[in-house]
Amino acid sequence: MVNAQMLSGYLDNSFNALMVSGGGESGQPQNGGTDTTLSGWKDLPMELLLRIISVAGDDRMAIVASGVCTGWRDALGWGATSLSFSWCQDHMNELVISLAHKFTKLQVLSLRQIKPQLEDTAVEAVANSCHDLRELDLSRSFRLSDRSLYALAHGCPHLTRLNISGCSNFSDAALIYLTSQCKNLKCLNLCGCVRAASDRALQVLKLRQHTLREPLFNLYYLDAGHSLQL
């Protein structure tokens, strides 16, 4: 995992590259003589810092940067809208709990796992902080229970895409409740959700489509991964 020293070194290199490309090797501006002087990455505007981190394409760097100082934490908290923890091989649950309150503007979040790590407490932390969430991947979260679906139903009502494939502990009652609260939900992956994807749940989803006259609902169900449009 990246650390603060690696992040600082990367930002130093990026800053130097920006100065060279802008013709300002001494750190002096090339914009007609304004008084702004950039002597290092700490002087960079937050918008530029966000751009540098996004270009790096590594969500781990954004997570480390959020712990450097209050200014960076606030900038990333307001500027980051997409984040993935899928790289995390250990202690994902604790990491998500400790960071959820920092990234309150997330719209896309991936918590996909190779081995089961995530527990209800982490999903509840996300639901309590990330109320603008639109897309969430919880696939292979074998430890999650109905608590997670109820938390999402209350805390993330704007969900449009949800992947809970492999979450075999979810019940059809919790799924039905979630879809009744998340009225913008358009794509739902239920592959391997043998309890949640019951005939009763599928009939309720189908009835909801006809009653509300909403656009077709893309549903991926059971182990075959077939797409069903209700």
Side-chain angles (χ1 to χ4, degrees), residues 196-210:
S198 66
D199 291 340
R200 171 173 172 254
L202 296 181
Q203 286 300 317
V204 169
L205 291 176
K206 185 175 181 179
L207 178 62
R208 193 193 81 174
Q209 300 302 305
H210 292 303

Side-chain angles (χ1 to χ4, degrees), residues 14 29 45 54 65 77 82 86 92 96 119 137 142 162 167 170 178 187 193 196 200-201 204:
S14 299
S54 68
S82 178
S86 298
M92 179 189 286
V96 172
E119 299 177 3
D137 188 345
F142 305 129
L162 178 63
C167 300
F170 291 153
L178 172 76
C187 187
C193 298
R200 171 173 172 254
V204 169

Side-chain angles (χ1 to χ4, degrees), residues 2-229:
V2 292
N3 53 38
Q5 184 177 3
M6 291 172 61
L7 176 62
S8 177
Y10 175 81
L11 290 175
D12 282 336
N13 292 336
S14 299
F15 176 80
N16 292 333
L18 286 169
M19 291 297 100
V20 171
S21 64
E25 294 182 1
S26 63
Q28 297 300 322
Q30 303 297 311
N31 54 4
T34 60
D35 294 333
T36 303
T37 300
L38 300 178
S39 59
W41 52 261
K42 290 183 179 180
D43 299 320
L44 292 176
M46 285 302 169
E47 294 82 2
L48 187 53
L49 176 62
L50 287 170
R51 178 60 179 163
I52 291 173
I53 292 178
S54 68
V55 168
D58 189 341
D59 288 338
R60 290 171 292 185
M61 182 170 290
I63 291 171
V64 172
S66 69
V68 171
C69 65
T70 302
W72 286 24
R73 180 196 66 199
D74 294 343
L76 289 166
W78 282 95
T81 59
S82 178
L83 200 61
S84 173
F85 287 83
S86 298
W87 49 267
C88 185
Q89 301 298 314
D90 296 291
H91 309 295
M92 179 189 286
N93 198 71
E94 293 81 358
L95 187 62
V96 172
I97 291 174
S98 67
L99 293 173
H101 69 282
K102 295 182 179 181
F103 295 91
T104 58
K105 299 300 179 182
L106 286 180
Q107 295 186 18
V108 180
L109 177 62
S110 176
L111 298 175
R112 183 180 179 86
Q113 303 144 81
I114 296 177
K115 62 179 181 180
Q117 302 180 63
L118 211 61
E119 299 177 3
D120 292 320
T121 49
V123 178
E124 289 170 340
V126 170
N128 288 334
S129 299
C130 306
H131 303 302
D132 292 330
L133 204 60
R134 263 63 172 177
E135 300 181 19
L136 178 61
D137 188 345
L138 295 175
S139 53
R140 299 179 61 82
S141 298
F142 305 129
R143 297 181 179 179
L144 297 184
S145 72
D146 286 349
R147 281 175 51 191
S148 292
L149 293 188
Y150 286 120
L152 292 173
H154 291 290
C156 304
H158 304 298
L159 279 175
T160 61
R161 301 176 65 90
L162 178 63
N163 186 345
I164 53 174
S165 59
C167 300
S168 54
N169 291 328
F170 291 153
S171 69
D172 57 354
L175 177 65
I176 291 171
Y177 183 77
L178 172 76
T179 57
S180 72
Q181 300 301 306
C182 300
K183 299 184 183 300
N184 296 321
L185 195 60
K186 295 294 184 292
C187 187
L188 182 61
N189 192 329
L190 299 175
C191 298
C193 298
V194 292
R195 294 182 59 214
S198 66
D199 291 340
R200 171 173 172 254
L202 296 181
Q203 286 300 317
V204 169
L205 291 176
K206 185 175 181 179
L207 178 62
R208 193 193 81 174
Q209 300 302 305
H210 292 303
T211 302
L212 300 180
R213 295 181 181 178
E214 296 174 340
L216 292 176
F217 192 102
N218 292 321
L219 179 66
Y220 300 86
Y221 65 104
L222 303 183
D223 293 320
H226 297 130
S227 175
L228 174 66
Q229 291 188 324

